[in-house]
């Protein structure tokens, strides 16, 4: 737990979170389970592909922030894995030829390029399904059945038809035809923010947050999710392809409608700053035992360069 | 509840169950939810496509069988919908071009033929995800959070990587190369039996079954699931295409390895009979309050002609 002390930089702190998540992910699909070998490979291939592990970090950080110490760490880590399972499945399905048709993800060939389309679809289905097993398991690791069930129901809502999948559909239907900022916001709120809201709120539930705190944490999640997405749009235009692990200007080439495209670069940067402030205000109002890391994460997401 | 009295034939009983399920399904994705219209259409298109609704019927029947009366009906109906959501999503994904590439299902164009591949993938994802919301909702409808969570965890296992999805993968990898009955059994146990086991056990949990009863009901589910699948293989060879709602001899044309192909027609029929007897023995040993309908369903599955 060394890196978790208050003097560690947020970068070290997130790095430590990511390592903890990585270790938990390694045990999240027990070897004893009778899973066809090739399916297991396909699931682990994308789970291991890494990324910033921001969503799991938010589960862990929110749990700590509410209670002020690393309580119920096992339960929080289990739910942190669940959110990464959901995020990973969504990337696998998004990359499919019928969807975005991407050959690379985080610098590695996409799942279907390695395992074929059918296996990629099934590996995504299996990851999505197993996320709910992980949430159910949290109840054996320090939270009540009521809390685990509330987390499970909320995951189904925020990852589902009126949440992340709904955002993905809106994105697909609106491609190249989006003219209003409101439509773009709908897409990103659901495609990106909803899972971040889930991460923050589920961690907070594990930490024992009250209803008012959950509401404020939802505002935090919504705003940093949106800021995160707009920052992604900005980095696609001005970022460093090596740091990003993917080509820049891909949005322009794909004629994707983005925030910079719709409202300009300066306005987009101002919007990121304003959303970040709103997120931080919500955290301060929530009167958490230790708000510092959540405040730092909000700033980190704006200042990151990849 | 008229059709649920003891004298109704099993066909009337199942018909009544199917109508109840249909009515519950109609309210299972509330209109107030902010789901993109086209996604909702795609989800409902396949949910409404009907079929025999055997799995939901098993949830309802098992709940009644354990307790001897229609207790916790709302909770059982909610879980009955969940199992139909899972079954429906699996059919949508199975039918995709990258998988079985089927143009028709239950006499209607498949989901991707109507809504396109991307939407079919996402509609499947949304149905799968929403199933877990429904299970969580069962807790507000008469079961404890502990029971709802146990059902949720079991659904994730039996529908996931070591369950239904695993069976689908084994089927895909083994296609045309299966030489041993053991491999074929593995596929069907997971592809078909696991969700039937879930249906029976979740209903029994709602009815308040003890551990020994749950074990015996698992044996029942496993055996009727396998018998159901072998009967499907048999009907594909000797059934009536109109009653089945799909062309016969498709397995032969697709060079699919089936039970009749591997062990012959007579042996297959004998196996169906023996599995059915084992299922019925388990039910009798379980000392349920009212075993009659579960016994009748086991027989019905063997004698059905579609």
């Amino acid at each position: 737990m060394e890196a978790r002390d208050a003097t560690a930089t947020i970068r070290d702190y997130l790095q430590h979170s990511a390592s903890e998540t990585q270790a938990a992910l390694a045990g999240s699909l027990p070897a004893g389970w009778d899973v066809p070998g090739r399916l297991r490979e396909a699931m682990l291939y994308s789970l291991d592909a890494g990324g910033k592990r921001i969503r799991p970090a938010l589960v862990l950080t929110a749990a700590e922030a509410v209670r002020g110490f690393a309580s119920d760490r096992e339960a929080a880590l289990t739910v942190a894995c669940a959110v990464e399972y959901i995020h990973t499945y969504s990337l696998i399905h998004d990359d499919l030829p019928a969807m975005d048709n991407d050959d690379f993800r985080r610098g590695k060939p996409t799942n279907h390029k390695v395992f074929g389309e059918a296996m990629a679809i099934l590996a995504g289905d299996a990851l999505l399904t197993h996320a709910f097993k992980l949430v159910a398991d949290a109840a054996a690791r320090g939270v009540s059945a009521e809390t685990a069930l509330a987390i499970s129901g909320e995951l189904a809502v925020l990852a589902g038809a009126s949440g992340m999948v709904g955002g993905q559909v809106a994105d697909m239907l609106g491609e190249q035809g989006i003219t209003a900022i409101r439509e773009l916001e709908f897409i990103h709120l659901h495609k990106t923010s909803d899972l971040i809201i889930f991460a923050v709120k589920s961690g907070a539930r594990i930490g024992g947050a009250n209803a008012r705190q959950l509401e404020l944490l939802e505002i935090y999640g919504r705003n940093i999710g949106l800021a995160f997405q707009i920052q992604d749009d900005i980095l696609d235009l001005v970022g460093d392809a090596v740091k990003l692990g993917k080509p820049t200007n891909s949005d322009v080439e794909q004629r994707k409608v983005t925030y910079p495209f719709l409202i300009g670069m300066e306005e987009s940067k101002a919007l990121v700053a304003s959303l970040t402030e709103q997120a931080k205000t919500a955290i301060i109002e929530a009167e958490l035992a230790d708000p510092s890391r959540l405040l730092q994460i909000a700033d980190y997401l704006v200042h990151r360069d990849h």
Side-chain angles (χ1 to χ4, degrees), chain A:
Chain A
M1 310 298 273
E2 323 79 72
R4 299 195 86 78
D5 72 81
T7 58
T9 67
I10 186 64
R11 204 173 285 268
D12 289 342
Y13 175 86
L14 289 173
Q15 188 58 53
H16 183 83
S17 260
S19 308
E20 259 193 297
T21 299
Q22 192 66 30
L25 283 171
S28 62
L29 190 67
W33 280 38
D34 196 11
V35 177
R38 194 76 179 149
L39 173 61
R40 183 185 289 271
E41 270 178 63
M43 293 168 76
L44 296 180
Y45 175 81
S46 292
L47 271 180
D48 287 346
K52 292 176 286 287
R53 312 282 194 208
I54 289 290
R55 292 160 192 80
L58 285 168
V59 178
L60 301 173
T61 308
E64 278 182 10
V66 171
R67 197 157 291 184
F69 55 91
S71 69
D72 301 325
R73 194 95 191 143
E74 286 304 308
L77 269 170
T78 306
V79 174
C81 288
V83 77
E84 198 64 6
Y85 267 68
I86 296 285
H87 178 56
T88 303
Y89 114 75
S90 78
L91 300 181
I92 295 175
H93 281 190
D94 282 8
D95 288 338
L96 286 168
M99 310 269 281
D100 289 351
N101 195 21
D102 279 321
D103 291 352
F104 288 91
R105 163 76 64 184
R106 295 169 180 165
K108 284 170 66 176
T110 45
N111 198 287
H112 66 272
K113 294 303 279 185
V114 179
F115 298 93
E117 260 183 85
M119 186 63 91
I121 294 167
L122 292 167
D125 293 344
L127 288 165
L128 163 51
T129 308
H130 195 61
F132 288 94
K133 169 64 176 154
L134 291 169
V135 172
D137 285 349
R141 294 170 187 171
V143 300
S144 68
E146 283 77 10
T147 298
L149 196 66
I151 291 172
S152 189
E154 193 158 70
L155 180 57
V157 171
L158 290 170
S162 60
M164 189 183 72
V165 174
Q168 180 63 28
V169 167
D171 192 13
M172 183 180 82
L173 295 178
E175 259 167 24
Q176 294 148 49
I178 299 165
T179 50
I181 193 80
R182 190 173 292 275
E183 288 174 64
L184 194 59
E185 194 179 270
F186 178 93
I187 291 168
H188 292 318
L189 278 181
H190 292 298
K191 217 181 137 170
T192 305
S193 286
D194 277 348
L195 201 54
I196 288 177
I197 292 171
F198 169 77
V200 175
K201 284 181 76 181
S202 63
R205 281 183 201 277
I206 292 167
N210 61 37
R212 163 111 180 109
Q213 289 174 323
L214 289 174
E215 247 174 62
L216 287 161
L217 284 163
E218 179 160 336
I219 294 171
Y220 171 82
R222 187 188 312 276
N223 285 301
I224 64 167
L226 207 48
F228 183 83
Q229 184 59 51
I230 300 170
Q231 185 68 9
D232 250 16
D233 287 356
I234 293 172
L235 288 173
D236 186 73
L237 284 171
V238 303
D240 178 328
V242 174
K243 283 186 182 166
L244 291 168
K246 62 184 177 186
T248 51
N249 281 306
S250 66
D251 291 346
V252 177
E253 277 158 31
Q254 291 171 41
R255 306 170 64 89
K256 256 179 90 172
V257 178
T258 65
Y259 275 85
F261 175 88
L262 262 190
I263 61 174
M265 181 60 83
E266 288 318 303
E267 275 285 310
S268 298
K269 286 182 178 172
L271 186 55
V272 168
S274 140
L275 290 165
T276 303
E277 281 317 302
Q278 289 171 55
K280 288 163 71 178
T281 303
I283 289 300
I284 290 162
E285 284 176 13
E287 300 181 342
L288 304 171
D290 179 7
S292 60
R293 294 303 187 187
L294 289 176
L295 294 172
Q296 289 166 16
I297 288 176
D299 279 326
Y300 168 78
L301 293 180
V302 199
H303 297 305
R304 73 196 162 95
D305 56 5
H306 69 286

